[in-house]
């Protein structure tokens, strides 16, 4: 799925996602609960400096923007960037492929929260540990990485979901499998919670010392 795909999907995206969640179907079963979990975790840090990776139509970040959070974000779809910038005129939104790292404009910035909802599967598995370590380095002490996405505790639960989804399963997406990722980032003490049969939530806190 490239930026042009998301440009075309941008106007129907919100309705499609909710319909899929309501039907409890892959890939968006648990979408609203995942966003609520992300928002609950973020509410613990009112007014924080937030970086949203793959902000899309700003379903998550607009709520934060409207309540005084300082928002930066990366998304590689120009159309998603346009829609989100209209909703959040003062946010620093950059059209950029976050799988490649952080752009120069924010390379030296530090954030209290780095959040990503339903976009981490666009980072190839081989790059996931490197990107997470870079994002960790971009946190202020006491900051947190929050990733909600299509995700699985282990390979067996991914296989169950793949069987269940049948032809709907997207072979091009690299869904997080926590048991495979965990050893690569164990030094960051990641925590994982399963939200639905195909949604999961990764939390990594940066300690003060
Ligand atoms: C499924 S949508 C999720 C949007 C939003 N975060 C949400 O929860 O509804 C994925 C978003 O990530 C963006 N995206 C996908 N791969 C990306 C990449 N490599 N770099 C930057 N943005 C990417 C897409 O353009 C799209 O806006």
């Amino acid at each position: 799925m490239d930026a042009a795909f998301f440009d075309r999907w941008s106007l129907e995206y919100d309705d499609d996602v909710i319909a899929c969640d309501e039907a409890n179907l892959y890939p968006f079963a648990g979408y609203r609960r995942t966003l609520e979990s992300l928002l609950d975790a973020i509410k613990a840090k009112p007014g924080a400096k937030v970086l949203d990776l793959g902000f899309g139509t700003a379903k998550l970040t607009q709520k934060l923007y409207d309540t005084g959070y300082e928002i930066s974000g990366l998304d590689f779809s120009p159309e998603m960037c346009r829609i989100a910038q209209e909703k959040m005129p003062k946010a620093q939104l950059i059209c950029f492929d976050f799988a490649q790292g952080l752009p120069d404009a924010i390379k030296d910035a530090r954030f209290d929260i780095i959040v990503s909802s339903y976009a981490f599967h666009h980072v190839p598995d081989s790059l996931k540990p490197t990107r997470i370590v870079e994002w960790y380095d971009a946190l202020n002490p006491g900051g947190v990485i929050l990733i909600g996405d299509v995700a699985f505790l282990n390979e067996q639960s991914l296989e169950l979901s793949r069987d269940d989804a049948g032809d709907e399963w997207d072979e091009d997406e690299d869904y997080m499998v926590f048991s495979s990722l965990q050893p690569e980032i164990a030094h960051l003490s990641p925590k994982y919670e399963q939200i639905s049969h195909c949604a999961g939530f990764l939390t990594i806190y940066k300690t003060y010392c």
Side-chain angles (χ1 to χ4, degrees):
M1 286 183 189
D2 57 9
F5 170 88
F6 285 103
D7 280 351
R8 288 192 297 278
W9 196 15
S10 57
L11 293 179
E12 279 92 41
Y13 175 82
D14 290 352
D15 290 342
D16 288 356
V17 167
I18 298 304
C20 186
D21 185 9
E22 280 175 354
N24 197 32
L25 291 174
Y26 160 90
F28 288 109
Y31 175 82
R32 284 167 299 176
R33 270 193 292 146
T34 301
L35 259 57
E36 277 161 23
S37 300
L38 290 170
L39 284 170
D40 283 348
I42 293 170
K43 275 186 208 145
K45 293 178 178 289
K49 200 170 169 196
V50 177
L51 174 64
D52 186 348
L53 302 169
F55 49 75
T57 57
K59 274 185 89 64
L60 178 83
T61 25
Q62 187 182 10
K63 291 191 176 79
L64 303 174
Y65 179 85
D66 290 345
T67 51
Y69 288 78
E70 191 183 330
I71 304 295
S72 298
L74 305 179
D75 198 296
F76 70 1
S77 155
E79 200 50 27
M80 293 293 198
C81 290
R82 187 189 64 74
I83 290 170
Q85 195 79 69
E86 264 179 21
K87 294 178 180 175
M88 307 184 294
K90 291 189 182 149
Q92 180 191 31
L93 303 182
I94 304 170
C95 215
F96 190 81
D97 179 353
F98 62 73
Q100 303 308 315
L102 295 174
D104 288 346
I106 57 166
K107 217 174 52 200
D108 297 324
R110 292 293 173 265
F111 300 92
D112 303 308
I113 298 167
I114 297 182
V115 64
S116 184
S117 64
Y118 285 81
F120 189 52
H121 58 269
H122 297 291
V123 178
D125 282 342
S126 60
L127 292 178
K128 282 181 169 65
T130 310
R131 292 289 90 89
I132 286 184
V133 169
E134 283 170 7
W135 299 339
Y136 185 89
D137 288 343
L139 286 175
N140 284 318
V144 62
I145 296 173
L146 302 165
I147 296 175
D149 198 0
V150 179
F152 303 92
L153 182 60
N154 53 38
E155 285 292 344
Q156 294 94 305
S157 50
L158 180 143
E159 290 306 331
L160 280 176
S161 199
R162 189 204 302 264
D163 288 348
D164 205 38
D167 291 344
E168 293 297 313
W169 186 263
D170 190 337
E171 294 292 347
D172 293 333
E173 305 202 317
D174 274 358
Y175 300 130
M176 172 170 58
V177 174
F178 182 66
S179 62
S180 305
L181 179 62
Q182 196 274 345
E184 307 278 343
I185 55 168
H187 60 296
L188 306 181
S189 305
K191 304 273 179 300
Y192 179 78
E193 183 189 346
Q194 197 68 42
I195 304 263
S196 78
H197 61 89
C198 61
F201 189 99
L202 182 73
T203 308
I204 299 173
Y205 282 98
K206 185 164 186 169
T207 51
Y208 280 94
C209 50

